[in-house]
Amino acid sequence: VEPPYHPTGVHVVEGARAFDPPDVMIKLSGNTSWLQTIMFDANPKMQFTVAFNKIDPEGRFERLRKVKLDMPRNDWTFLQQRVAVAWLRGRAGIPAQCANSARVFVNGVYYGLFTNLEAQDKSWLDRIYGDAFDGGDLWKGGREITTNEDDFHWAHIDAFWDAETLADLDTLTDLDLSMLEWTSEAVIGDADGYNNGRANFLVYD
């Protein structure tokens, strides 16, 4: 079951600048990660999705609809995600999120260090593809629609999963770029993506 959003207040401090974005909503993220942390960690730490467009669909913060405050519980350096997405973007030429570190306070009390991860949504697609962005369908795990929920199309994604040969796939996708992405996942040790057969990958039509 998808966790619900709740209204919240957010105060963002970035160097000498400070912001109080309006109409912010927040929800818990990462069902599996949360289950693991409450089972195995002495001080379980939640992770969050912060949305600026739930109350006002046009709401943005720094042009973003959402940000994710990710708690990489298996990486005590809190650097692996940042280094990995930077390498994907800069060296491998793979469309990837931006990320930095964030110190999070809850009701004025320090809660912990997080990875502030760009959400992979329409804002991200617009940044990645620029003028070529045509508002297509973005599928999580190749099955769950995350954009255009009211007017998406099944035809292409069904054809993708029904493909049985490389020739079939070649008519639907850029195989060279796909192979580069899959091998890049292997290089960075991504244990939760397409290369390892997990559901946390995206397909963009």
Tab-separated table of all heavy atoms in Angstrom, residues 66-125:
chain	number	residue	atom	x	y	z
A	66	LYS	N	9.320	17.361	-6.750
A	66	LYS	CA	9.567	16.556	-5.558
A	66	LYS	C	11.071	16.423	-5.341
A	66	LYS	O	11.865	16.537	-6.274
A	66	LYS	CB	8.980	15.141	-5.699
A	66	LYS	CG	7.490	15.079	-5.919
A	66	LYS	CD	7.062	13.642	-6.202
A	66	LYS	CE	5.586	13.553	-6.534
A	66	LYS	NZ	5.196	12.182	-6.918
A	67	VAL	N	11.443	16.143	-4.102
A	67	VAL	CA	12.791	15.668	-3.790
A	67	VAL	C	12.651	14.462	-2.872
A	67	VAL	O	11.638	14.297	-2.190
A	67	VAL	CB	13.675	16.750	-3.120
A	67	VAL	CG1	13.921	17.902	-4.060
A	67	VAL	CG2	13.061	17.221	-1.816
A	68	LYS	N	13.669	13.626	-2.870
A	68	LYS	CA	13.667	12.439	-2.019
A	68	LYS	C	14.804	12.557	-1.006
A	68	LYS	O	15.947	12.827	-1.380
A	68	LYS	CB	13.843	11.181	-2.875
A	68	LYS	CG	12.750	11.007	-3.906
A	68	LYS	CD	12.956	9.750	-4.719
A	68	LYS	CE	11.904	8.745	-4.368
A	68	LYS	NZ	12.039	7.496	-5.139
A	69	LEU	N	14.465	12.383	0.233
A	69	LEU	CA	15.467	12.335	1.299
A	69	LEU	C	15.722	10.871	1.595
A	69	LEU	O	14.941	10.207	2.273
A	69	LEU	CB	14.964	13.095	2.532
A	69	LEU	CG	14.769	14.597	2.314
A	69	LEU	CD1	14.090	15.236	3.513
A	69	LEU	CD2	16.107	15.276	2.040
A	70	ASP	N	16.815	10.378	1.025
A	70	ASP	CA	17.092	8.949	1.009
A	70	ASP	C	18.084	8.591	2.099
A	70	ASP	O	19.065	9.295	2.320
A	70	ASP	CB	17.646	8.555	-0.368
A	70	ASP	CG	17.541	7.076	-0.628
A	70	ASP	OD1	16.517	6.477	-0.247
A	70	ASP	OD2	18.478	6.501	-1.207
A	71	MET	N	17.816	7.485	2.772
A	71	MET	CA	18.654	7.014	3.869
A	71	MET	C	19.334	5.714	3.417
A	71	MET	O	18.762	4.646	3.517
A	71	MET	CB	17.787	6.772	5.110
A	71	MET	CG	18.511	6.324	6.347
A	71	MET	SD	18.750	4.536	6.445
A	71	MET	CE	17.083	3.922	6.350
A	72	PRO	N	20.536	5.816	2.840
A	72	PRO	CA	21.213	4.609	2.356
A	72	PRO	C	21.792	3.795	3.512
A	72	PRO	O	22.965	3.909	3.862
A	72	PRO	CB	22.310	5.162	1.444
A	72	PRO	CG	22.602	6.516	2.007
A	72	PRO	CD	21.321	7.029	2.597
A	73	ARG	N	20.976	2.948	4.122
A	73	ARG	CA	21.345	2.304	5.377
A	73	ARG	C	22.519	1.347	5.229
A	73	ARG	O	23.158	0.993	6.219
A	73	ARG	CB	20.148	1.561	5.979
A	73	ARG	CG	19.586	0.437	5.140
A	73	ARG	CD	18.459	-0.278	5.881
A	73	ARG	NE	18.897	-0.761	7.181
A	73	ARG	CZ	19.506	-1.943	7.338
A	73	ARG	NH1	19.759	-2.714	6.300
A	73	ARG	NH2	19.861	-2.329	8.540
A	74	ASN	N	22.826	0.899	4.011
A	74	ASN	CA	23.969	0.007	3.810
A	74	ASN	C	25.244	0.754	3.435
A	74	ASN	O	26.246	0.128	3.130
A	74	ASN	CB	23.641	-1.023	2.724
A	74	ASN	CG	22.530	-1.960	3.142
A	74	ASN	OD1	22.455	-2.360	4.293
A	74	ASN	ND2	21.636	-2.280	2.217
A	75	ASP	N	25.199	2.070	3.423
A	75	ASP	CA	26.365	2.880	3.061
A	75	ASP	C	26.607	3.913	4.143
A	75	ASP	O	26.001	4.983	4.140
A	75	ASP	CB	26.129	3.546	1.702
A	75	ASP	CG	27.224	4.550	1.362
A	75	ASP	OD1	28.341	4.410	1.897
A	75	ASP	OD2	26.944	5.479	0.579
A	76	TRP	N	27.491	3.604	5.066
A	76	TRP	CA	27.729	4.511	6.182
A	76	TRP	C	28.538	5.731	5.768
A	76	TRP	O	28.649	6.688	6.540
A	76	TRP	CB	28.425	3.762	7.315
A	76	TRP	CG	27.600	2.629	7.811
A	76	TRP	CD1	27.876	1.297	7.711
A	76	TRP	CD2	26.313	2.699	8.431
A	76	TRP	NE1	26.857	0.539	8.231
A	76	TRP	CE2	25.882	1.376	8.680
A	76	TRP	CE3	25.471	3.752	8.789
A	76	TRP	CZ2	24.661	1.085	9.278
A	76	TRP	CZ3	24.258	3.463	9.385
A	76	TRP	CH2	23.868	2.141	9.621
A	77	THR	N	29.122	5.746	4.563
A	77	THR	CA	29.813	6.948	4.077
A	77	THR	C	28.822	7.977	3.542
A	77	THR	O	29.140	9.153	3.450
A	77	THR	CB	30.789	6.603	2.944
A	77	THR	OG1	30.062	6.235	1.759
A	77	THR	CG2	31.721	5.476	3.343
A	78	PHE	N	27.629	7.529	3.157
A	78	PHE	CA	26.617	8.387	2.549
A	78	PHE	C	27.142	9.073	1.279
A	78	PHE	O	26.701	10.152	0.909
A	78	PHE	CB	26.117	9.447	3.537
A	78	PHE	CG	25.132	8.903	4.535
A	78	PHE	CD1	25.558	8.061	5.542
A	78	PHE	CD2	23.792	9.208	4.452
A	78	PHE	CE1	24.666	7.543	6.461
A	78	PHE	CE2	22.887	8.702	5.375
A	78	PHE	CZ	23.323	7.860	6.376
A	79	LEU	N	28.104	8.434	0.618
A	79	LEU	CA	28.699	9.003	-0.594
A	79	LEU	C	28.471	8.149	-1.829
A	79	LEU	O	28.625	8.637	-2.944
A	79	LEU	CB	30.206	9.209	-0.396
A	79	LEU	CG	30.627	10.317	0.557
A	79	LEU	CD1	32.140	10.286	0.755
A	79	LEU	CD2	30.191	11.677	0.022
A	80	GLN	N	28.146	6.879	-1.667
A	80	GLN	CA	28.084	5.993	-2.832
A	80	GLN	C	27.058	6.452	-3.857
A	80	GLN	O	27.318	6.440	-5.058
A	80	GLN	CB	27.803	4.565	-2.381
A	80	GLN	CG	28.968	3.930	-1.637
A	80	GLN	CD	28.665	2.513	-1.175
A	80	GLN	OE1	27.639	1.944	-1.518
A	80	GLN	NE2	29.558	1.957	-0.373
A	81	GLN	N	25.864	6.850	-3.408
A	81	GLN	CA	24.851	7.328	-4.350
A	81	GLN	C	25.328	8.558	-5.090
A	81	GLN	O	25.176	8.662	-6.317
A	81	GLN	CB	23.545	7.648	-3.618
A	81	GLN	CG	22.726	6.431	-3.244
A	81	GLN	CD	21.473	6.840	-2.484
A	81	GLN	OE1	21.550	7.598	-1.525
A	81	GLN	NE2	20.335	6.356	-2.917
A	82	ARG	N	25.892	9.504	-4.364
A	82	ARG	CA	26.344	10.751	-4.982
A	82	ARG	C	27.429	10.486	-6.013
A	82	ARG	O	27.404	11.039	-7.114
A	82	ARG	CB	26.855	11.719	-3.916
A	82	ARG	CG	25.780	12.245	-2.987
A	82	ARG	CD	26.353	13.249	-2.004
A	82	ARG	NE	26.991	14.359	-2.701
A	82	ARG	CZ	27.622	15.343	-2.072
A	82	ARG	NH1	27.701	15.353	-0.750
A	82	ARG	NH2	28.170	16.327	-2.750
A	83	VAL	N	28.399	9.636	-5.670
A	83	VAL	CA	29.487	9.328	-6.604
A	83	VAL	C	28.949	8.558	-7.809
A	83	VAL	O	29.332	8.818	-8.954
A	83	VAL	CB	30.593	8.534	-5.884
A	83	VAL	CG1	31.639	8.044	-6.881
A	83	VAL	CG2	31.254	9.389	-4.807
A	84	ALA	N	28.026	7.621	-7.558
A	84	ALA	CA	27.503	6.787	-8.641
A	84	ALA	C	26.737	7.612	-9.673
A	84	ALA	O	26.971	7.487	-10.880
A	84	ALA	CB	26.608	5.683	-8.079
A	85	VAL	N	25.808	8.459	-9.215
A	85	VAL	CA	25.035	9.226	-10.197
A	85	VAL	C	25.906	10.267	-10.899
A	85	VAL	O	25.693	10.574	-12.078
A	85	VAL	CB	23.789	9.884	-9.563
A	85	VAL	CG1	22.787	8.827	-9.124
A	85	VAL	CG2	24.143	10.825	-8.426
A	86	ALA	N	26.907	10.808	-10.198
A	86	ALA	CA	27.834	11.744	-10.843
A	86	ALA	C	28.638	11.030	-11.933
A	86	ALA	O	28.862	11.582	-13.021
A	86	ALA	CB	28.755	12.373	-9.806
A	87	TRP	N	29.087	9.801	-11.654
A	87	TRP	CA	29.828	9.024	-12.656
A	87	TRP	C	28.938	8.669	-13.844
A	87	TRP	O	29.353	8.755	-14.995
A	87	TRP	CB	30.391	7.757	-12.020
A	87	TRP	CG	31.181	6.928	-12.989
A	87	TRP	CD1	32.500	7.092	-13.326
A	87	TRP	CD2	30.706	5.813	-13.744
A	87	TRP	NE1	32.873	6.143	-14.257
A	87	TRP	CE2	31.788	5.349	-14.528
A	87	TRP	CE3	29.477	5.162	-13.835
A	87	TRP	CZ2	31.669	4.264	-15.385
A	87	TRP	CZ3	29.354	4.084	-14.694
A	87	TRP	CH2	30.442	3.646	-15.453
A	88	LEU	N	27.689	8.269	-13.564
A	88	LEU	CA	26.763	7.935	-14.643
A	88	LEU	C	26.555	9.125	-15.565
A	88	LEU	O	26.586	8.991	-16.795
A	88	LEU	CB	25.419	7.480	-14.066
A	88	LEU	CG	25.392	6.099	-13.411
A	88	LEU	CD1	24.080	5.901	-12.661
A	88	LEU	CD2	25.580	4.995	-14.439
A	89	ARG	N	26.335	10.303	-14.987
A	89	ARG	CA	26.097	11.496	-15.800
A	89	ARG	C	27.348	11.945	-16.538
A	89	ARG	O	27.313	12.231	-17.738
A	89	ARG	CB	25.604	12.659	-14.929
A	89	ARG	CG	24.237	12.495	-14.325
A	89	ARG	CD	23.739	13.833	-13.744
A	89	ARG	NE	24.760	14.538	-13.000
A	89	ARG	CZ	24.953	14.424	-11.694
A	89	ARG	NH1	24.191	13.615	-10.988
A	89	ARG	NH2	25.894	15.110	-11.080
A	90	GLY	N	28.448	12.013	-15.798
A	90	GLY	CA	29.639	12.653	-16.346
A	90	GLY	C	30.529	11.765	-17.188
A	90	GLY	O	31.079	12.207	-18.209
A	91	ARG	N	30.717	10.520	-16.769
A	91	ARG	CA	31.653	9.631	-17.466
A	91	ARG	C	30.961	8.648	-18.393
A	91	ARG	O	31.445	8.373	-19.484
A	91	ARG	CB	32.502	8.868	-16.435
A	91	ARG	CG	33.352	9.745	-15.550
A	91	ARG	CD	34.410	10.514	-16.345
A	91	ARG	NE	35.361	9.620	-16.947
A	91	ARG	CZ	36.462	9.168	-16.358
A	91	ARG	NH1	36.727	9.542	-15.120
A	91	ARG	NH2	37.289	8.364	-16.985
A	92	ALA	N	29.823	8.100	-17.956
A	92	ALA	CA	29.144	7.101	-18.775
A	92	ALA	C	28.156	7.718	-19.762
A	92	ALA	O	27.757	7.067	-20.727
A	92	ALA	CB	28.413	6.098	-17.876
A	93	GLY	N	27.759	8.968	-19.516
A	93	GLY	CA	26.805	9.597	-20.416
A	93	GLY	C	25.394	9.067	-20.283
A	93	GLY	O	24.605	9.104	-21.224
A	94	ILE	N	25.061	8.560	-19.093
A	94	ILE	CA	23.740	7.994	-18.826
A	94	ILE	C	22.879	9.050	-18.130
A	94	ILE	O	23.328	9.677	-17.178
A	94	ILE	CB	23.857	6.752	-17.917
A	94	ILE	CG1	24.666	5.648	-18.604
A	94	ILE	CG2	22.491	6.239	-17.513
A	94	ILE	CD1	23.994	5.057	-19.812
A	95	PRO	N	21.639	9.267	-18.582
A	95	PRO	CA	20.759	10.182	-17.843
A	95	PRO	C	20.592	9.719	-16.402
A	95	PRO	O	20.180	8.589	-16.151
A	95	PRO	CB	19.429	10.097	-18.609
A	95	PRO	CG	19.802	9.640	-19.986
A	95	PRO	CD	20.982	8.723	-19.784
A	96	ALA	N	20.945	10.563	-15.456
A	96	ALA	CA	20.880	10.184	-14.043
A	96	ALA	C	20.513	11.401	-13.210
A	96	ALA	O	20.629	12.549	-13.648
A	96	ALA	CB	22.211	9.593	-13.578
A	97	GLN	N	20.087	11.123	-11.989
A	97	GLN	CA	19.662	12.186	-11.079
A	97	GLN	C	20.841	13.014	-10.590
A	97	GLN	O	21.988	12.581	-10.625
A	97	GLN	CB	18.958	11.569	-9.871
A	97	GLN	CG	17.729	10.758	-10.195
A	97	GLN	CD	17.694	9.490	-9.380
A	97	GLN	OE1	18.437	8.556	-9.650
A	97	GLN	NE2	16.813	9.439	-8.390
A	98	CYS	N	20.522	14.192	-10.093
A	98	CYS	CA	21.461	14.972	-9.301
A	98	CYS	C	21.258	14.603	-7.830
A	98	CYS	O	20.171	14.192	-7.426
A	98	CYS	CB	21.219	16.468	-9.493
A	98	CYS	SG	21.661	17.076	-11.130
A	99	ALA	N	22.314	14.739	-7.049
A	99	ALA	CA	22.220	14.384	-5.631
A	99	ALA	C	23.253	15.182	-4.849
A	99	ALA	O	24.331	15.508	-5.347
A	99	ALA	CB	22.449	12.887	-5.436
A	100	ASN	N	22.894	15.511	-3.620
A	100	ASN	CA	23.852	16.068	-2.673
A	100	ASN	C	23.487	15.568	-1.290
A	100	ASN	O	22.611	14.703	-1.149
A	100	ASN	CB	23.905	17.604	-2.756
A	100	ASN	CG	22.571	18.261	-2.485
A	100	ASN	OD1	21.636	17.637	-1.979
A	100	ASN	ND2	22.470	19.537	-2.825
A	101	SER	N	24.147	16.082	-0.285
A	101	SER	CA	23.860	15.653	1.080
A	101	SER	C	22.994	16.693	1.776
A	101	SER	O	23.073	17.888	1.466
A	101	SER	CB	25.154	15.450	1.873
A	101	SER	OG	25.919	14.395	1.305
A	102	ALA	N	22.171	16.232	2.710
A	102	ALA	CA	21.297	17.134	3.456
A	102	ALA	C	21.272	16.730	4.922
A	102	ALA	O	21.133	15.551	5.239
A	102	ALA	CB	19.879	17.106	2.883
A	103	ARG	N	21.417	17.721	5.794
A	103	ARG	CA	21.219	17.507	7.220
A	103	ARG	C	19.771	17.852	7.527
A	103	ARG	O	19.313	18.962	7.259
A	103	ARG	CB	22.180	18.370	8.040
A	103	ARG	CG	23.634	18.062	7.773
A	103	ARG	CD	24.569	19.027	8.498
A	103	ARG	NE	24.549	18.784	9.941
A	103	ARG	CZ	24.302	19.720	10.848
A	103	ARG	NH1	24.023	20.951	10.475
A	103	ARG	NH2	24.325	19.425	12.130
A	104	VAL	N	19.023	16.903	8.094
A	104	VAL	CA	17.587	17.054	8.299
A	104	VAL	C	17.294	17.259	9.782
A	104	VAL	O	17.783	16.506	10.638
A	104	VAL	CB	16.831	15.816	7.763
A	104	VAL	CG1	15.343	15.914	8.088
A	104	VAL	CG2	17.035	15.687	6.253
A	105	PHE	N	16.483	18.272	10.064
A	105	PHE	CA	16.011	18.552	11.410
A	105	PHE	C	14.499	18.366	11.432
A	105	PHE	O	13.807	18.781	10.499
A	105	PHE	CB	16.359	19.979	11.823
A	105	PHE	CG	17.834	20.234	11.974
A	105	PHE	CD1	18.652	20.404	10.872
A	105	PHE	CD2	18.404	20.301	13.236
A	105	PHE	CE1	20.014	20.638	11.005
A	105	PHE	CE2	19.770	20.534	13.388
A	105	PHE	CZ	20.567	20.691	12.269
A	106	VAL	N	13.967	17.752	12.471
A	106	VAL	CA	12.528	17.582	12.645
A	106	VAL	C	12.118	18.323	13.917
A	106	VAL	O	12.620	18.016	15.005
A	106	VAL	CB	12.147	16.089	12.748
A	106	VAL	CG1	10.648	15.950	12.997
A	106	VAL	CG2	12.542	15.341	11.479
A	107	ASN	N	11.268	19.329	13.764
A	107	ASN	CA	10.840	20.172	14.889
A	107	ASN	C	12.030	20.748	15.646
A	107	ASN	O	12.059	20.797	16.879
A	107	ASN	CB	9.937	19.382	15.845
A	107	ASN	CG	8.634	18.958	15.185
A	107	ASN	OD1	8.118	19.657	14.318
A	107	ASN	ND2	8.122	17.809	15.593
A	108	GLY	N	13.050	21.162	14.876
A	108	GLY	CA	14.213	21.804	15.454
A	108	GLY	C	15.263	20.869	16.024
A	108	GLY	O	16.314	21.324	16.484
A	109	VAL	N	15.010	19.553	15.992
A	109	VAL	CA	15.956	18.572	16.543
A	109	VAL	C	16.619	17.839	15.386
A	109	VAL	O	15.942	17.350	14.466
A	109	VAL	CB	15.233	17.575	17.467
A	109	VAL	CG1	16.214	16.542	17.991
A	109	VAL	CG2	14.552	18.316	18.614
A	110	TYR	N	17.953	17.751	15.432
A	110	TYR	CA	18.691	17.088	14.353
A	110	TYR	C	18.266	15.620	14.238
A	110	TYR	O	18.298	14.875	15.220
A	110	TYR	CB	20.190	17.178	14.614
A	110	TYR	CG	21.037	16.526	13.535
A	110	TYR	CD1	20.974	16.961	12.223
A	110	TYR	CD2	21.896	15.478	13.850
A	110	TYR	CE1	21.744	16.369	11.237
A	110	TYR	CE2	22.678	14.882	12.876
A	110	TYR	CZ	22.593	15.331	11.563
A	110	TYR	OH	23.360	14.734	10.587
A	111	TYR	N	17.841	15.231	13.014
A	111	TYR	CA	17.350	13.866	12.782
A	111	TYR	C	18.388	12.987	12.105
A	111	TYR	O	18.433	11.791	12.356
A	111	TYR	CB	16.074	13.922	11.939
A	111	TYR	CG	15.372	12.595	11.797
A	111	TYR	CD1	14.804	11.972	12.905
A	111	TYR	CD2	15.284	11.954	10.565
A	111	TYR	CE1	14.162	10.750	12.791
A	111	TYR	CE2	14.640	10.731	10.441
A	111	TYR	CZ	14.083	10.134	11.551
A	111	TYR	OH	13.456	8.913	11.436
A	112	GLY	N	19.228	13.584	11.244
A	112	GLY	CA	20.263	12.765	10.630
A	112	GLY	C	20.703	13.279	9.272
A	112	GLY	O	20.157	14.237	8.719
A	113	LEU	N	21.707	12.592	8.734
A	113	LEU	CA	22.246	12.899	7.413
A	113	LEU	C	21.526	12.067	6.367
A	113	LEU	O	21.280	10.871	6.566
A	113	LEU	CB	23.748	12.596	7.386
A	113	LEU	CG	24.493	12.906	6.087
A	113	LEU	CD1	24.524	14.414	5.842
A	113	LEU	CD2	25.917	12.342	6.145
A	114	PHE	N	21.177	12.699	5.245
A	114	PHE	CA	20.464	12.032	4.169
A	114	PHE	C	21.121	12.349	2.828
A	114	PHE	O	21.879	13.317	2.701
A	114	PHE	CB	19.005	12.520	4.099
A	114	PHE	CG	18.114	11.983	5.187
A	114	PHE	CD1	18.166	12.501	6.472
A	114	PHE	CD2	17.221	10.959	4.930
A	114	PHE	CE1	17.339	12.019	7.472
A	114	PHE	CE2	16.395	10.463	5.918
A	114	PHE	CZ	16.458	10.994	7.193
A	115	THR	N	20.806	11.537	1.832
A	115	THR	CA	21.079	11.902	0.452
A	115	THR	C	19.855	12.622	-0.097
A	115	THR	O	18.747	12.086	-0.074
A	115	THR	CB	21.364	10.664	-0.419
A	115	THR	OG1	22.510	9.980	0.086
A	115	THR	CG2	21.627	11.073	-1.861
A	116	ASN	N	20.057	13.853	-0.544
A	116	ASN	CA	18.990	14.636	-1.167
A	116	ASN	C	19.008	14.306	-2.658
A	116	ASN	O	19.872	14.746	-3.406
A	116	ASN	CB	19.240	16.121	-0.925
A	116	ASN	CG	18.220	16.998	-1.616
A	116	ASN	OD1	17.072	16.610	-1.810
A	116	ASN	ND2	18.655	18.179	-2.007
A	117	LEU	N	18.043	13.474	-3.067
A	117	LEU	CA	18.073	12.856	-4.395
A	117	LEU	C	16.964	13.424	-5.264
A	117	LEU	O	15.802	13.470	-4.853
A	117	LEU	CB	17.892	11.346	-4.239
A	117	LEU	CG	18.252	10.432	-5.387
A	117	LEU	CD1	19.727	10.553	-5.750
A	117	LEU	CD2	17.919	8.981	-5.022
A	118	GLU	N	17.335	13.849	-6.456
A	118	GLU	CA	16.357	14.361	-7.409
A	118	GLU	C	15.344	13.271	-7.762
A	118	GLU	O	15.715	12.153	-8.090
A	118	GLU	CB	17.074	14.833	-8.671
A	118	GLU	CG	16.181	15.428	-9.733
A	118	GLU	CD	16.954	15.833	-10.974
A	118	GLU	OE1	18.125	15.414	-11.113
A	118	GLU	OE2	16.388	16.557	-11.818
A	119	ALA	N	14.060	13.602	-7.688
A	119	ALA	CA	13.021	12.634	-8.055
A	119	ALA	C	13.001	12.449	-9.568
A	119	ALA	O	13.155	13.403	-10.326
A	119	ALA	CB	11.659	13.118	-7.570
A	120	GLN	N	12.803	11.216	-9.996
A	120	GLN	CA	12.726	10.918	-11.429
A	120	GLN	C	11.266	11.029	-11.863
A	120	GLN	O	10.507	10.068	-11.821
A	120	GLN	CB	13.308	9.538	-11.715
A	120	GLN	CG	14.819	9.508	-11.516
A	120	GLN	CD	15.393	8.115	-11.590
A	120	GLN	OE1	15.050	7.272	-10.775
A	120	GLN	NE2	16.264	7.882	-12.540
A	121	ASP	N	10.895	12.233	-12.291
A	121	ASP	CA	9.518	12.512	-12.669
A	121	ASP	C	9.534	13.420	-13.896
A	121	ASP	O	10.543	13.496	-14.616
A	121	ASP	CB	8.753	13.138	-11.505
A	121	ASP	CG	9.409	14.423	-10.983
A	121	ASP	OD1	10.319	14.959	-11.651
A	121	ASP	OD2	9.004	14.906	-9.919
A	122	LYS	N	8.441	14.140	-14.158
A	122	LYS	CA	8.370	14.986	-15.345
A	122	LYS	C	9.405	16.112	-15.319
A	122	LYS	O	9.956	16.478	-16.365
A	122	LYS	CB	6.965	15.571	-15.485
A	122	LYS	CG	5.931	14.576	-15.985
A	122	LYS	CD	4.603	15.264	-16.234
A	122	LYS	CE	3.590	14.278	-16.804
A	122	LYS	NZ	2.287	14.923	-17.071
A	123	SER	N	9.669	16.664	-14.142
A	123	SER	CA	10.692	17.714	-14.048
A	123	SER	C	12.056	17.163	-14.441
A	123	SER	O	12.831	17.826	-15.140
A	123	SER	CB	10.737	18.289	-12.628
A	123	SER	OG	9.539	18.940	-12.294
A	124	TRP	N	12.352	15.959	-13.995
A	124	TRP	CA	13.623	15.315	-14.338
A	124	TRP	C	13.695	15.025	-15.839
A	124	TRP	O	14.710	15.285	-16.489
A	124	TRP	CB	13.759	14.026	-13.525
A	124	TRP	CG	14.981	13.235	-13.812
A	124	TRP	CD1	16.268	13.535	-13.423
A	124	TRP	CD2	15.059	12.005	-14.520
A	124	TRP	NE1	17.133	12.553	-13.859
A	124	TRP	CE2	16.413	11.601	-14.531
A	124	TRP	CE3	14.123	11.194	-15.136
A	124	TRP	CZ2	16.845	10.431	-15.140
A	124	TRP	CZ3	14.542	10.018	-15.746
A	124	TRP	CH2	15.879	9.661	-15.747
A	125	LEU	N	12.611	14.495	-16.405
A	125	LEU	CA	12.581	14.221	-17.840
A	125	LEU	C	12.778	15.494	-18.650
A	125	LEU	O	13.498	15.509	-19.657
A	125	LEU	CB	11.260	13.554	-18.222
A	125	LEU	CG	11.059	12.123	-17.728
A	125	LEU	CD1	9.614	11.685	-17.954
A	125	LEU	CD2	12.008	11.160	-18.425
